[in-house]
Amino acid sequence: MISCNIQTISYTDCILTIQDSGGITINEFMLANLKMFQNDTMGTLYLNDGSTEITINLAQLPSINGGAFATLLDLFTYIETQRNLCQCGCGGGGGSGTVTSVDLTMPSAFSVSGNPITTAGTLAVTGAGLVSQYIRGDGSLANFPTGVGGGASQPYYLNGGTNQGVFVGNTYYEMSKTPVIGVGADFNIAADGIIARFLTDAGDPSLLNIPAGNWNFEMWFSASSSGGSPTFSVTLYKYDGASFTSIATSSATPENITGGTSIDLYFTALAVPATTLTATDRLAISVNIIHSGRTITMHTQDSHLCQINTTFSSGISALNGLTDSVQSFAVGTTGADFNIASASAVHNFNLPTASATKRGALSTADWSTFNGKLDSALATGKIFLGVAGVATASSNPRSILNSMLASDTVIASTTSYYQPASAQVDNTTENNRRYYVNNDCLCARLLVQTATTQNSGGSCVVSINKNGVATGISVTIAASSVAGVFTDYVNSIAVSAGDYLTIKVVNNAASNSAAFTQISFNLF
């Protein structure tokens, strides 16, 4: 048994050469005769060709081939691989010839580098396409089909377990927006021809046209054996209740079924032209097979959902009775009231011009007439309404009552009431200063505006009385308050038809109050 300082283990023509640190050959094993066994407990690998045995232990590994073997198992695997190649005649010394060059070719969807190999090297295979592409069954690249129309593409599923019945002498199965999951349904054919036909439910798609573009078919197939050139193609029809009319077919560009007995997913694109439909038309497809001497199986439902991505939008399918995939809005004046008229792909929002017989928008001319109704004799800022004895037909009108004052109007040190129709202080009875209300409403939002500073000797209080009684709606202008706007937007009172309101102003200072420019309140 030999155990020494092994440094190199090399392989050439089915001969394993072991050398020491000085490059001296320790032994040459014929790999075909070599036997090995490993004692993991002892940490030792034994090599024996029937005449010589060499032991290799863990401590020797760092020096062997520059530490290329991390474990004895790595070294064992390396030698075992070469030995097996020699025993099967696959190695350099076991065959009838010597390979001097290795080349690799791949379909167009792949790129190959590092070829040919004449002595040593690595063959590298990388994809030649883009992320947006896929590899067809024949190894070429193809772009994923894209649909058109608003929103996402509306998918249909081929539910082979749902029989739609016999139409024009052929059995059709369901083509539906809802997939069937939980049970598979397969179709088989051992000849050239149509393997299955599918038809949408009654009332589906309930559209008036098919937008032009690609329909993408995702289909599951398998074959009874590998080989040959089996293919599939699809044809799209519309069905009017009596006959089927072909819309598009991929029979000129069939897809290869290349997976043999494996159940694989296949893609094909069908160029569909813009097609007019009636609201009651249904859609159908047939799947045609060239079997190439094999039994072809089409798998549907459950984990093998055959799906069709159409050019129909999965967004709004109908809007106010219109089913076009692209619709628009317009403005009109048709009708006697506001209305929406939908026709073709346009929704008209009609707002007629108001008249004695039409409820609508006020015309420019009518607005000018209405705006001119204000009596020019009224002073600027005055609004005349709610006067006792004057009836009104409206209910709960919103009104703004203003008492506009000259910018230098002040209040002496006394309790005073303002006459609404003038800017003068009236110190007579309250009966002369009333706002009569014609309808039930709400009184609120008292506002007072001053032009100068309130006297430092005291405050000035502005309040509203109803029928001569204080209401709690009040604004206090504190002593020395600078000019500005003072409001009570919190308090309010209910007012009934026939009630009257008055504005009461009390100046608590010994001298004149601030100059007032406006006192107002709202009726809602």
Side-chain angles (χ1 to χ4, degrees):
M1 181 180 294
I2 300 173
S3 179
C4 55
N5 186 19
I6 299 172
Q7 186 169 6
T8 304
I9 297 178
S10 59
Y11 155 77
T12 304
D13 293 336
C14 288
I15 297 176
L16 188 71
T17 301
I18 299 177
Q19 295 177 312
D20 65 11
S21 58
I24 304 301
T25 299
I26 300 172
N27 194 44
E28 290 184 341
F29 292 103
M30 291 296 295
L31 285 171
N33 301 325
L34 183 63
K35 293 181 174 55
M36 297 185 294
F37 64 96
Q38 182 180 344
N39 188 325
D40 292 331
T41 303
M42 300 293 295
T44 305
L45 175 65
Y46 298 89
L47 307 180
N48 192 318
D49 63 355
S51 60
T52 306
E53 182 177 284
I54 290 180
T55 63
I56 302 170
N57 56 51
L58 289 171
Q60 294 174 292
L61 285 179
S63 63
I64 297 176
N65 288 17
F69 306 106
T71 66
L72 287 174
L73 180 59
D74 291 341
L75 179 57
F76 181 95
T77 302
Y78 168 77
I79 298 173
E80 179 71 6
T81 300
Q82 313 309 324
R83 187 177 69 84
N84 289 339
L85 289 173
C86 288
Q87 288 180 335
C88 72
C90 304
S96 58
T98 301
V99 175
T100 59
S101 177
V102 177
D103 201 355
L104 175 65
T105 60
M106 295 289 289
S108 60
F110 303 92
S111 298
V112 180
S113 63
N115 60 309
I117 295 176
T118 57
T119 54
T122 301
L123 294 172
V125 178
T126 57
L130 304 174
V131 173
S132 59
Q133 295 178 302
Y134 70 95
I135 301 173
R136 292 163 46 103
D138 60 1
S140 62
L141 290 168
N143 294 322
F144 281 104
T146 57
V148 300
S153 172
Q154 174 63 62
Y156 278 87
Y157 299 91
L158 305 183
N159 297 328
T162 303
N163 191 323
Q164 297 279 54
V166 177
F167 300 83
V168 194
N170 295 304
T171 300
Y172 284 79
Y173 296 87
E174 186 182 50
M175 175 178 167
S176 173
K177 298 183 180 78
T178 303
V180 174
I181 300 175
V183 58
D186 297 342
F187 299 88
N188 300 285
I189 189 171
D192 293 345
I194 294 175
I195 190 172
R197 296 176 174 87
F198 299 86
L199 178 67
T200 60
D201 297 326
D204 189 356
S206 188
L207 297 173
L208 301 181
N209 65 79
I210 301 176
N214 272 339
W215 283 32
N216 181 28
F217 288 72
E218 303 174 10
M219 316 286 281
W220 292 90
F221 290 102
S222 64
S224 58
S225 64
S226 301
S229 300
T231 64
F232 78 95
S233 60
V234 295
T235 302
L236 174 67
Y237 306 86
K238 64 178 180 179
Y239 177 63
D240 61 5
S243 61
F244 290 87
T245 301
S246 176
I247 297 173
T249 181
S250 66
S251 59
T253 55
E255 288 289 335
N256 292 318
I257 301 173
T258 58
T261 58
S262 299
I263 301 176
D264 287 338
L265 180 63
Y266 296 87
F267 298 88
T268 190
L270 181 65
V272 177
T275 305
T276 300
L277 302 173
T278 67
T280 58
D281 280 348
R282 300 162 73 173
L283 299 177
I285 70 160
S286 62
V287 183
N288 192 73
I289 298 295
I290 302 298
H291 77 303
S292 192
R294 284 147 185 82
T295 298
I296 304 300
T297 301
M298 177 180 174
H299 305 267
T300 70
Q301 299 187 168
D302 197 22
S303 60
H304 301 121
L305 294 179
C306 292
Q307 177 176 320
I308 307 170
N309 292 314
T310 70
T311 51
F312 295 131
S313 170
S314 62
I316 297 175
S317 59
L319 181 61
N320 204 29
L322 302 186
T323 57
D324 293 72
S325 60
V326 178
Q327 302 181 28
S328 61
F329 300 105
V331 177
T333 58
T334 304
D337 200 347
F338 174 75
N339 65 93
I340 301 174
S342 301
S344 298
V346 180
H347 305 273
N348 275 288
F349 289 72
N350 292 308
L351 183 62
T353 302
S355 68
T357 59
K358 294 181 179 180
R359 176 176 176 267
L362 194 65
S363 68
T364 301
D366 288 343
W367 183 89
S368 297
T369 300
F370 173 78
N371 191 54
K373 294 296 184 180
L374 180 64
D375 189 347
S376 60
L378 288 175
T380 302
K382 295 297 176 18
I383 299 177
F384 184 72
L385 58 89
V387 178
V390 178
T392 176
S394 62
S395 176
N396 293 329
R398 178 175 180 175
S399 308
I400 301 177
L401 304 179
N402 293 310
S403 177
M404 301 298 296
L405 310 174
S407 61
D408 58 352
T409 299
V410 295
I411 310 301
S413 179
T414 181
T415 298
S416 304
Y417 296 91
Y418 282 110
Q419 180 68 15
S422 71
Q424 303 301 316
V425 176
D426 183 353
N427 292 317
T428 60
T429 65
E430 188 174 5
N431 292 334
N432 295 333
R433 295 169 239 98
R434 299 179 179 181
Y435 295 97
Y436 279 93
V437 179
N438 292 337
N439 296 280
D440 294 349
C441 57
L442 188 71
C443 176
R445 298 182 69 82
L446 174 63
L447 180 146
V448 178
Q449 184 176 26
T450 62
T452 61
T453 301
Q454 170 63 19
N455 190 284
S456 62
S459 65
C460 187
V461 180
V462 181
S463 58
I464 295 177
N465 286 0
K466 183 178 79 169
N467 300 330
V469 179
T471 63
I473 301 175
S474 178
V475 167
T476 298
I477 304 170
S480 302
S481 294
V482 298
V485 175
F486 304 86
T487 62
D488 180 356
Y489 286 172
V490 175
N491 297 302
S492 63
I493 57 169
V495 183
S496 302
D499 288 344
Y500 67 87
L501 303 172
T502 52
I503 299 174
K504 180 178 180 179
V505 181
V506 178
N507 179 23
N508 296 310
S511 300
N512 288 346
S513 69
F516 289 84
T517 59
Q518 177 176 330
I519 300 175
S520 66
F521 61 88
N522 290 6
L523 294 180
F524 298 90

